[in-house]
Amino acid sequence: MEQIDIINKLNNIFREVMDNEDIVITPESSANDIEEWDSLTHVQLIIAIEKSFNIRFKSSEIRNWKNVGEMIEAIQNKF
Amino acid sequence: MNDKNIILDIYNKIAEKSPIHAKKLKKNMKHYNDVYFQRSDDFIIKYLKFLNTLGKDIDYSIDCYLKMLDDIIAEDTYFKKFGKYSSSSFEEVNNRVYGNPNIMEYYMHGLLISQFLWKQHYQIYNYFIENIKEYSNSTNSYLEIGAGHGLYLSEAVKILDKNAIIDVVDISESSINLAKNLINNDRINFTLANIFDFNSNKKYDFITMGEVLEHVENPLSLLLKLNELLNKNGTLYITAPTNAPTIDHIYLFKNINEIKSLLNKAGFKIEKDIYFYAEDLPEEMAEKMEIALMYGAFLKKI
Ligand SMILES: C[S@@+](CC[C@H](N)C(=O)[O-])C[C@H]1O[C@@H](n2cnc3c(N)ncnc32)[C@H](O)[C@@H]1O
């Protein structure tokens, strides 16, 4: 899957989970840029990503995601 | 609080490594007062000395803590998806966690600093400190089960009579080593055992069991065991979380009433109790979102 396709899909997931239509993510986006991205929404994000991409992360694969780019990488590794 | 508080270094380091988690810690800070900052700094100074003897520093501990959090995120994901904890048997958890020094080591260091970083952990620890004093005169024998890192134990040692017997039972060698070395006090007798296999010909005036009830398959039988070990007029201090997925939790308490009714069934009455949510949210919302909660109680025999 191309990075651009992943990011588009991810953007929709972010908007849905955070309940904010204005969110625009880039690989550099971190929790410092997206106010609603906290430990509560983080778990919801993971669940939504697993569902939407039909993948299942091992605990070692969700370690220390600091920004969207690392998230994309983890998703790419699943394909 | 002042900007020289050592605990703030830890907050800053965590924020660098995990901005997502740091948000929650920052939000919860408004629950803390000066006593908190004094206590956590005192603890950290002592803890740093101890780490030094291991050839380690605070960055090591922070990494332990973050590793523990990663495990919790994975467990939380499972919990939200399936409505249960991922482990269901003691055997499984014993092999995966208590008997596994690699995991147990980072887990206990992580859990230890979480006592000062998590709102519900600090608040319940504070509750223990504030209330244990009044039992010191009536306690000639003290037992702690699952002392883990030993923080509660270190408080008990401070206030108990110098002739009081202090026994500890823990199933994990890693836990016992950590508590032993951190407290460094010869008067404590440590026993490496599963509490179900622990037999004593004496009964205890005070028993502390922090966060162990949710680690067994049958919490009622554990409480009955405690009832047996407790003196007629003795006191039991117990803590247990609801909706708190971690790698070693087996028994899911969905709400406080489930814990209370079990305590009652095992022959205990509540002398005092309290609970704290893990997140700074309105109670109704926290309940609806199944946010983890810590329950603590001082109990007497019925
Ligand atoms: C989550 S830690 C709790 C540490 C500390 N008491 C606190 O409240 O923060 C649980 C501890 O209980 C021990 N433990 C778990 N099951 C046990 C059992 N069946 N018998 C004895 N100890 C047990 C573990 O090894 C670990 O040290």
Side-chain angles (χ1 to χ4, degrees):
Chain A
M1 218 173 172
E2 294 300 317
Q3 200 194 37
I4 181 79
D5 297 325
I6 296 180
I7 216 165
N8 284 337
K9 217 167 161 176
L10 256 186
N11 208 350
N12 288 333
I13 294 173
F14 265 83
R15 288 179 178 182
E16 211 166 292
V17 168
M18 317 291 182
D19 197 16
N20 178 350
E21 283 304 309
D22 300 329
I23 291 177
V24 179
I25 55 167
T26 71
E28 288 76 38
S29 309
S30 78
N32 294 327
D33 309 305
I34 302 168
E35 201 192 321
E36 300 91 337
W37 192 0
D38 62 15
S39 47
L40 287 174
T41 50
H42 190 60
V43 171
Q44 290 171 276
L45 273 180
I46 295 170
I47 294 172
I49 292 169
E50 286 189 342
K51 203 166 153 202
S52 161
F53 289 89
N54 205 6
I55 51 179
R56 182 87 212 269
F57 292 117
K58 290 200 230 83
S59 60
S60 56
E61 292 164 332
I62 51 180
R63 273 200 170 150
N64 293 323
W65 286 344
K66 269 192 261 109
N67 56 34
V68 170
E70 290 179 12
M71 233 168 185
I72 294 172
E73 217 173 284
I75 296 170
Q76 270 172 331
N77 286 338
K78 285 285 175 186
F79 289 96
Chain B
M1 170 172 73
N2 62 58
D3 49 357
K4 289 199 195 68
N5 282 118
I6 318 174
I7 184 98
L8 296 178
D9 287 345
I10 297 185
Y11 280 98
N12 292 336
K13 284 187 168 170
I14 291 174
E16 262 169 44
K17 293 188 175 177
S18 176
I20 300 171
H21 180 67
K23 276 189 188 171
K24 163 169 159 171
L25 296 186
K26 204 171 152 204
K27 220 171 144 192
N28 286 346
M29 266 174 109
K30 69 162 166 293
H31 293 272
Y32 305 143
N33 57 14
D34 287 347
V35 176
Y36 165 84
F37 287 99
Q38 187 59 50
R39 232 180 236 157
S40 37
D41 278 7
D42 290 348
F43 162 75
I44 293 161
I45 290 168
K46 204 175 113 199
Y47 181 52
L48 285 174
K49 276 192 199 138
F50 166 66
L51 282 174
N52 199 23
T53 66
L54 303 177
K56 298 188 155 102
D57 58 17
I58 199 67
D59 291 313
Y60 163 80
S61 278
I62 291 173
D63 285 340
C64 288
Y65 174 73
L66 293 173
K67 260 197 220 168
M68 178 183 84
L69 284 185
D70 288 332
D71 289 343
I72 291 178
I73 293 174
E75 294 298 325
D76 201 17
T77 311
Y78 183 96
F79 176 63
K80 298 254 153 56
K81 274 206 288 214
F82 303 110
K84 55 178 190 173
Y85 294 159
S86 76
S87 296
S88 55
S89 85
F90 168 78
E91 185 68 27
E92 197 182 335
V93 171
N94 196 24
N95 290 332
R96 181 182 175 196
V97 187
Y98 314 134
N100 184 340
N102 286 335
I103 293 204
M104 207 59 194
E105 192 180 304
Y106 77 73
Y107 188 27
M108 279 304 127
H109 279 276
L111 199 64
L112 177 54
I113 59 171
S114 83
Q115 306 295 320
F116 294 92
L117 295 174
W118 294 2
K119 171 173 127 17
Q120 80 277 25
H121 268 170
Y122 178 72
Q123 288 171 320
I124 203 84
Y125 165 60
N126 180 52
Y127 180 68
F128 178 74
I129 297 177
E130 298 289 310
N131 288 290
I132 181 80
K133 292 175 213 144
E134 68 184 76
Y135 298 97
S136 64
N137 285 338
S138 55
T139 302
N140 293 314
S141 50
Y142 183 91
L143 170 68
E144 179 159 353
I145 295 151
H149 42 70
L151 191 65
Y152 281 84
L153 187 61
S154 70
E155 296 298 334
V157 170
K158 278 188 212 160
I159 60 110
L160 289 174
D161 187 272
K162 63 178 190 327
N163 294 315
I165 293 167
I166 307 179
D167 291 342
V168 172
V169 179
D170 199 297
I171 201 171
S172 162
E173 197 164 4
S174 313
S175 286
I176 291 191
N177 285 338
L178 177 59
K180 217 185 228 171
N181 293 320
L182 190 67
I183 303 175
N184 198 5
N185 187 321
D186 289 342
R187 61 184 290 214
I188 307 171
N189 314 303
F190 288 92
T191 305
L192 176 65
N194 184 336
I195 181 59
F196 286 107
D197 303 329
F198 176 74
N199 291 310
S200 162
N201 43 21
K202 65 173 167 295
K203 301 219 180 222
Y204 292 89
D205 298 326
F206 199 102
I207 300 181
T208 294
M209 191 178 80
E211 296 187 52
V212 179
L213 199 59
E214 68 283 9
H215 291 246
V216 301
E217 291 173 23
N218 187 342
L220 179 60
S221 63
L222 176 51
L223 291 172
L224 291 170
K225 172 92 195 184
L226 301 188
N227 199 319
E228 238 172 72
L229 289 166
L230 192 67
N231 254 333
K232 194 161 139 280
N233 297 316
T235 308
L236 169 64
Y237 175 70
I238 210 160
T239 71
T242 67
N243 300 317
T246 67
I247 50 173
D248 51 354
H249 287 177
I250 296 173
Y251 194 92
L252 170 62
F253 291 107
K254 294 208 182 86
N255 53 57
I256 301 177
N257 285 339
E258 289 187 4
I259 304 177
K260 284 191 193 175
S261 76
L262 209 63
L263 292 169
N264 189 266
K265 227 177 176 172
F268 294 106
K269 61 172 187 263
I270 295 162
E271 199 167 53
K272 276 191 210 92
D273 67 351
I274 202 155
Y275 62 88
F276 302 104
Y277 278 104
E279 300 272 351
D280 177 42
L281 287 172
E283 176 144 357
E284 226 168 77
M285 209 166 145
E287 199 181 323
K288 201 167 137 227
M289 290 172 74
E290 297 190 326
I291 299 296
L293 168 157
M294 188 60 69
Y295 175 75
F298 288 85
L299 306 149
K300 291 278 186 193
K301 288 193 184 196
I302 290 175

mmCIF file of all heavy atoms in Angstrom, chain B residues 224-245:
data_model
loop_
_atom_site.group_PDB
_atom_site.id
_atom_site.type_symbol
_atom_site.label_atom_id
_atom_site.label_comp_id
_atom_site.label_asym_id
_atom_site.label_seq_id
_atom_site.Cartn_x
_atom_site.Cartn_y
_atom_site.Cartn_z
ATOM 1 N N LEU B 224 -10.833 -15.519 51.749
ATOM 2 C CA LEU B 224 -11.086 -16.452 52.855
ATOM 3 C C LEU B 224 -9.771 -16.844 53.525
ATOM 4 O O LEU B 224 -9.689 -16.994 54.745
ATOM 5 C CB LEU B 224 -11.834 -17.691 52.352
ATOM 6 C CG LEU B 224 -13.290 -17.425 51.914
ATOM 7 C CD1 LEU B 224 -13.889 -18.643 51.206
ATOM 8 C CD2 LEU B 224 -14.169 -17.029 53.113
ATOM 9 N N LYS B 225 -8.745 -16.970 52.700
ATOM 10 C CA LYS B 225 -7.408 -17.279 53.227
ATOM 11 C C LYS B 225 -6.930 -16.125 54.136
ATOM 12 O O LYS B 225 -6.389 -16.351 55.218
ATOM 13 C CB LYS B 225 -6.461 -17.465 52.032
ATOM 14 C CG LYS B 225 -5.017 -17.604 52.378
ATOM 15 C CD LYS B 225 -4.628 -19.050 52.560
ATOM 16 C CE LYS B 225 -3.288 -19.185 53.249
ATOM 17 N NZ LYS B 225 -2.843 -20.558 53.367
ATOM 18 N N LEU B 226 -7.169 -14.900 53.710
ATOM 19 C CA LEU B 226 -6.770 -13.744 54.517
ATOM 20 C C LEU B 226 -7.550 -13.714 55.823
ATOM 21 O O LEU B 226 -7.011 -13.382 56.880
ATOM 22 C CB LEU B 226 -7.016 -12.428 53.767
ATOM 23 C CG LEU B 226 -6.301 -12.238 52.432
ATOM 24 C CD1 LEU B 226 -6.478 -10.824 51.909
ATOM 25 C CD2 LEU B 226 -4.822 -12.526 52.584
ATOM 26 N N ASN B 227 -8.805 -14.069 55.742
ATOM 27 C CA ASN B 227 -9.639 -14.093 56.933
ATOM 28 C C ASN B 227 -9.063 -15.057 57.975
ATOM 29 O O ASN B 227 -9.031 -14.769 59.174
ATOM 30 C CB ASN B 227 -11.072 -14.485 56.545
ATOM 31 C CG ASN B 227 -12.072 -14.086 57.611
ATOM 32 O OD1 ASN B 227 -11.782 -14.247 58.796
ATOM 33 N ND2 ASN B 227 -13.217 -13.572 57.222
ATOM 34 N N GLU B 228 -8.559 -16.178 57.469
ATOM 35 C CA GLU B 228 -7.935 -17.184 58.336
ATOM 36 C C GLU B 228 -6.657 -16.650 58.995
ATOM 37 O O GLU B 228 -6.369 -16.950 60.143
ATOM 38 C CB GLU B 228 -7.501 -18.354 57.439
ATOM 39 C CG GLU B 228 -8.060 -19.699 57.756
ATOM 40 C CD GLU B 228 -7.643 -20.633 56.628
ATOM 41 O OE1 GLU B 228 -6.442 -20.987 56.560
ATOM 42 O OE2 GLU B 228 -8.517 -20.991 55.808
ATOM 43 N N LEU B 229 -5.897 -15.866 58.204
ATOM 44 C CA LEU B 229 -4.609 -15.368 58.695
ATOM 45 C C LEU B 229 -4.747 -14.162 59.628
ATOM 46 O O LEU B 229 -3.798 -13.772 60.295
ATOM 47 C CB LEU B 229 -3.719 -14.959 57.507
ATOM 48 C CG LEU B 229 -3.156 -16.089 56.649
ATOM 49 C CD1 LEU B 229 -2.593 -15.546 55.335
ATOM 50 C CD2 LEU B 229 -2.065 -16.850 57.396
ATOM 51 N N LEU B 230 -5.918 -13.572 59.655
ATOM 52 C CA LEU B 230 -6.108 -12.336 60.412
ATOM 53 C C LEU B 230 -6.625 -12.620 61.827
ATOM 54 O O LEU B 230 -7.498 -13.458 62.017
ATOM 55 C CB LEU B 230 -7.109 -11.441 59.652
ATOM 56 C CG LEU B 230 -7.240 -9.992 60.105
ATOM 57 C CD1 LEU B 230 -5.949 -9.223 59.828
ATOM 58 C CD2 LEU B 230 -8.405 -9.301 59.376
ATOM 59 N N ASN B 231 -6.077 -11.881 62.787
ATOM 60 C CA ASN B 231 -6.560 -11.967 64.169
ATOM 61 C C ASN B 231 -8.016 -11.546 64.273
ATOM 62 O O ASN B 231 -8.496 -10.784 63.451
ATOM 63 C CB ASN B 231 -5.753 -11.002 65.031
ATOM 64 C CG ASN B 231 -4.782 -11.752 65.903
ATOM 65 O OD1 ASN B 231 -5.026 -12.911 66.237
ATOM 66 N ND2 ASN B 231 -3.692 -11.098 66.274
ATOM 67 N N LYS B 232 -8.648 -11.973 65.361
ATOM 68 C CA LYS B 232 -10.063 -11.667 65.563
ATOM 69 C C LYS B 232 -10.333 -10.161 65.454
ATOM 70 O O LYS B 232 -11.278 -9.730 64.805
ATOM 71 C CB LYS B 232 -10.464 -12.180 66.944
ATOM 72 C CG LYS B 232 -11.929 -12.242 67.183
ATOM 73 C CD LYS B 232 -12.225 -13.172 68.343
ATOM 74 C CE LYS B 232 -13.303 -12.650 69.262
ATOM 75 N NZ LYS B 232 -12.864 -11.626 70.234
ATOM 76 N N ASN B 233 -9.473 -9.351 66.076
ATOM 77 C CA ASN B 233 -9.684 -7.903 66.021
ATOM 78 C C ASN B 233 -8.770 -7.211 65.022
ATOM 79 O O ASN B 233 -8.614 -5.986 65.051
ATOM 80 C CB ASN B 233 -9.449 -7.283 67.404
ATOM 81 C CG ASN B 233 -10.455 -7.809 68.397
ATOM 82 O OD1 ASN B 233 -11.638 -7.903 68.075
ATOM 83 N ND2 ASN B 233 -9.987 -8.208 69.571
ATOM 84 N N GLY B 234 -8.173 -8.013 64.158
ATOM 85 C CA GLY B 234 -7.195 -7.472 63.217
ATOM 86 C C GLY B 234 -7.822 -6.626 62.110
ATOM 87 O O GLY B 234 -9.047 -6.575 61.952
ATOM 88 N N THR B 235 -6.938 -5.974 61.366
ATOM 89 C CA THR B 235 -7.390 -5.115 60.263
ATOM 90 C C THR B 235 -6.743 -5.563 58.958
ATOM 91 O O THR B 235 -5.560 -5.908 58.932
ATOM 92 C CB THR B 235 -6.980 -3.641 60.514
ATOM 93 O OG1 THR B 235 -7.428 -3.273 61.810
ATOM 94 C CG2 THR B 235 -7.584 -2.711 59.467
ATOM 95 N N LEU B 236 -7.542 -5.541 57.919
ATOM 96 C CA LEU B 236 -7.032 -5.855 56.581
ATOM 97 C C LEU B 236 -7.119 -4.604 55.731
ATOM 98 O O LEU B 236 -8.159 -3.945 55.685
ATOM 99 C CB LEU B 236 -7.891 -6.971 55.962
ATOM 100 C CG LEU B 236 -7.695 -7.269 54.474
ATOM 101 C CD1 LEU B 236 -6.294 -7.797 54.190
ATOM 102 C CD2 LEU B 236 -8.740 -8.285 53.990
ATOM 103 N N TYR B 237 -6.003 -4.265 55.091
ATOM 104 C CA TYR B 237 -6.037 -3.163 54.121
ATOM 105 C C TYR B 237 -5.867 -3.767 52.736
ATOM 106 O O TYR B 237 -4.922 -4.506 52.471
ATOM 107 C CB TYR B 237 -4.912 -2.157 54.376
ATOM 108 C CG TYR B 237 -4.860 -1.073 53.312
ATOM 109 C CD1 TYR B 237 -5.851 -0.107 53.228
ATOM 110 C CD2 TYR B 237 -3.833 -1.045 52.363
ATOM 111 C CE1 TYR B 237 -5.827 0.872 52.240
ATOM 112 C CE2 TYR B 237 -3.796 -0.063 51.371
ATOM 113 C CZ TYR B 237 -4.799 0.882 51.323
ATOM 114 O OH TYR B 237 -4.776 1.850 50.340
ATOM 115 N N ILE B 238 -6.814 -3.453 51.879
ATOM 116 C CA ILE B 238 -6.785 -4.079 50.575
ATOM 117 C C ILE B 238 -6.995 -3.021 49.492
ATOM 118 O O ILE B 238 -7.732 -2.061 49.703
ATOM 119 C CB ILE B 238 -7.882 -5.169 50.540
ATOM 120 C CG1 ILE B 238 -7.474 -6.277 49.616
ATOM 121 C CG2 ILE B 238 -9.236 -4.645 50.158
ATOM 122 C CD1 ILE B 238 -8.212 -7.541 49.893
ATOM 123 N N THR B 239 -6.293 -3.182 48.356
ATOM 124 C CA THR B 239 -6.625 -2.340 47.211
ATOM 125 C C THR B 239 -6.834 -3.247 46.009
ATOM 126 O O THR B 239 -6.225 -4.320 45.918
ATOM 127 C CB THR B 239 -5.519 -1.317 46.862
ATOM 128 O OG1 THR B 239 -4.400 -2.005 46.304
ATOM 129 C CG2 THR B 239 -5.088 -0.488 48.057
ATOM 130 N N ALA B 240 -7.708 -2.819 45.120
ATOM 131 C CA ALA B 240 -7.939 -3.576 43.885
ATOM 132 C C ALA B 240 -8.531 -2.635 42.844
ATOM 133 O O ALA B 240 -9.332 -1.767 43.177
ATOM 134 C CB ALA B 240 -8.886 -4.746 44.143
ATOM 135 N N PRO B 241 -8.116 -2.800 41.593
ATOM 136 C CA PRO B 241 -8.654 -1.930 40.549
ATOM 137 C C PRO B 241 -9.845 -2.558 39.821
ATOM 138 O O PRO B 241 -9.991 -3.774 39.801
ATOM 139 C CB PRO B 241 -7.475 -1.796 39.596
ATOM 140 C CG PRO B 241 -6.780 -3.109 39.684
ATOM 141 C CD PRO B 241 -7.013 -3.647 41.081
ATOM 142 N N THR B 242 -10.649 -1.709 39.228
ATOM 143 C CA THR B 242 -11.673 -2.192 38.291
ATOM 144 C C THR B 242 -11.235 -1.758 36.894
ATOM 145 O O THR B 242 -10.523 -0.761 36.740
ATOM 146 C CB THR B 242 -13.053 -1.569 38.573
ATOM 147 O OG1 THR B 242 -12.999 -0.165 38.276
ATOM 148 C CG2 THR B 242 -13.468 -1.744 40.022
ATOM 149 N N ASN B 243 -11.658 -2.496 35.894
ATOM 150 C CA ASN B 243 -11.410 -2.145 34.477
ATOM 151 C C ASN B 243 -9.979 -1.707 34.203
ATOM 152 O O ASN B 243 -9.752 -0.666 33.584
ATOM 153 C CB ASN B 243 -12.383 -1.039 34.040
ATOM 154 C CG ASN B 243 -13.823 -1.479 34.185
ATOM 155 O OD1 ASN B 243 -14.167 -2.600 33.833
ATOM 156 N ND2 ASN B 243 -14.670 -0.614 34.727
ATOM 157 N N ALA B 244 -9.040 -2.509 34.694
ATOM 158 C CA ALA B 244 -7.632 -2.135 34.568
ATOM 159 C C ALA B 244 -6.823 -3.249 33.906
ATOM 160 O O ALA B 244 -6.192 -4.051 34.587
ATOM 161 C CB ALA B 244 -7.053 -1.820 35.943
ATOM 162 N N PRO B 245 -6.829 -3.288 32.579
ATOM 163 C CA PRO B 245 -6.095 -4.363 31.908
ATOM 164 C C PRO B 245 -4.580 -4.200 32.012
ATOM 165 O O PRO B 245 -4.049 -3.132 31.719
ATOM 166 C CB PRO B 245 -6.540 -4.226 30.443
ATOM 167 C CG PRO B 245 -7.059 -2.844 30.293
ATOM 168 C CD PRO B 245 -7.561 -2.425 31.641
#
